[in-house]
């Protein structure tokens, strides 16, 4: 016996190509309803979500994001550059226009543990989307201020992430994950867990 | 019809009092198996987990954490102070000894989007624990270096959070959450969504 959450987490992968099929707004609201249940520092719930369906606004968000990406790609070095190139990534982010819905996640910058809390909510959101059969990519703009300027938010909010949501049209396999015994130890750094074959946990 | 994930996210609450009942190691491994499936910047998987069951080590982690908490409570001001006091919180963290298992989550500090990625994995972990009937509190030490010193980790790792895991013996209700239409907008900041009564999303 395994669990439903593990099935969803395992099947979930990052998707950069979306089909033209409209994503149901009810499913987006469902996933946001899940996200808002996440714990947060001093229960400040430092997350705000802007659901973007307007094609013109999506285009402006894409253009603003790509302006910053061009700077990143001119300057990136080392392992991160290798990773980007090996994955065929570039400063072009068509998924910001092609996904039927973008969810921009803004942070109340002054809240206690704002960033940590917001990303727990993102972790909830991703699993809820997967449950509804929808896909996304966690897109962190290289200069969040540029797309943020298109969203007319008040002072005191930062743009943390844009989640383009839709149905997958992306055959790229899920990125491989480290085995559990490479990342988890018992009582002391480096002290191995006892696991079943395949590097996964053995649980009833 | 609602969904399984929403049920888990909604029933989940932060717990500071744990029963003496042992938490099954298999359930901890299950939740870590879920966490490791989370996406991460450049797939660096910048999370490491130390599962602490040794009572002596738990006590040392508690003592180190409380040394830092005393400093926090002497200096905290404003809304955060009010929130802490109104919730009966203090510099004492007995749950770090009383929970049968602690999961310390360490971050590869140099990884791309390390903090964001790690907290997505924490968001996955919390829902997986709930599925297994286990509870936790997201404990962010006020000075992570003090408990980190008890864990013998190599250079380059930061302690982000300690998750004490066990069965709840805590009657405190879940913190109230903002309605969805307070935190989510359509296409423009402040542009209200249409929701059903109760502030929740209406989905089939």
């Amino acid at each position: 016996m395994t669990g439903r959450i593990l099935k969803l987490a395992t099947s979930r992968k990052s998707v950069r190509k979306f089909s033209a099929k409209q994503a149901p707004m009810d499913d987006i609201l469902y996933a946001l309803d899940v996200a808002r249940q996440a714990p947060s520092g001093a229960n400040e719930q430092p997350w705000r979500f802007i659901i973007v369906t307007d094609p013109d606004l999506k285009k402006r968000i894409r253009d603003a994001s790509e302006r910053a990406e061009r700077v990143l790609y001119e300057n990136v070095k080392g392992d991160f550059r290798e990773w980007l190139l090996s994955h065929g990534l570039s400063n072009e982010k068509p998924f910001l226009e092609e996904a039927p819905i973008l969810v921009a996640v803004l942070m109340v910058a002054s809240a206690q543990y704002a960033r940590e809390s917001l990303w727990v909510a993102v972790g909830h959101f991703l699993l809820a989307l997967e449950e509804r059969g929808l896909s996304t990519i966690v897109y962190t703009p290289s200069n969040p201020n540029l797309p943020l300027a298109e969203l007319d938010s008040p002072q005191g909010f930062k743009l943390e992430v844009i989640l383009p949501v839709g149905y997958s049209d992306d055959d790229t396999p899920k990125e491989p994950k480290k085995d559990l015994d490479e990342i988890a130890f018992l009582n002391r750094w480096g002290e191995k867990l006892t696991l079943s074959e395949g590097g996964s946990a053995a649980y009833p």
Side-chain angles (χ1 to χ4, degrees), chain A:
Chain A
M1 192 186 85
T2 179
R4 175 89 174 125
I5 303 273
L6 182 58
K7 278 187 193 145
L8 291 172
T10 304
S11 66
R12 192 208 159 271
K13 64 170 192 173
S14 297
V15 156
R16 293 179 177 82
K17 288 184 196 159
F18 296 93
S19 83
K21 187 178 169 192
Q22 185 56 46
M25 182 61 77
D26 281 344
D27 289 343
I28 306 291
L29 297 179
Y30 174 80
L32 292 176
D33 237 4
V34 170
R36 78 182 173 106
Q37 293 294 335
S40 60
N43 195 34
E44 292 195 62
Q45 305 163 67
W47 40 68
R48 300 292 182 274
F49 304 95
I50 303 184
I51 303 168
V52 180
T53 57
D54 175 39
D56 179 60
L57 180 54
K58 286 198 289 177
K59 178 167 178 25
R60 285 186 283 130
I61 288 171
R62 174 185 178 176
D63 290 347
S65 300
E66 289 183 345
R67 280 202 303 280
E69 293 291 340
R70 281 194 284 275
V71 178
L72 170 72
Y73 275 81
E74 280 164 19
N75 293 290
V76 68
K77 292 186 175 63
D79 288 347
F80 189 33
R81 179 185 167 85
E82 292 306 310
W83 188 86
L84 292 170
L85 297 180
S86 72
H87 285 70
L89 302 183
S90 80
N91 56 0
E92 290 182 35
K93 303 298 171 192
F95 51 74
L96 294 176
E97 255 191 290
E98 291 167 3
I101 295 180
L102 307 182
V103 178
V105 191
L106 280 67
M107 177 173 84
V108 181
S110 62
Q112 296 292 326
Y113 297 104
R115 177 157 291 131
E116 293 86 341
S117 305
L118 182 145
W119 285 89
V120 169
V122 171
H124 281 31
F125 185 78
L126 298 182
L127 291 177
L129 283 185
E130 183 71 16
E131 187 184 27
R132 291 283 169 146
L134 290 167
S135 293
T136 191
I137 171 92
V138 177
Y139 174 64
T140 42
S142 10
N143 180 352
N145 290 328
L146 299 187
L148 180 63
E150 304 298 331
L151 296 171
D152 298 322
S153 60
Q155 291 287 313
F157 290 88
K158 289 186 179 176
L159 176 63
E160 280 289 292
V161 57
I162 301 173
L163 298 156
V165 180
Y167 291 100
S168 173
D169 191 25
D170 192 336
D171 292 337
T172 315
K174 181 171 174 134
E175 292 281 325
K177 300 292 171 185
K178 293 180 199 295
D179 287 347
L180 195 52
D181 66 356
E182 293 177 77
I183 58 167
F185 309 120
L186 184 61
N187 284 315
R188 211 158 49 89
W189 184 275
E191 187 80 17
K192 287 258 177 146
L193 301 168
T194 309
L195 297 175
S196 65
E197 280 182 44
S200 218
Y203 24 72

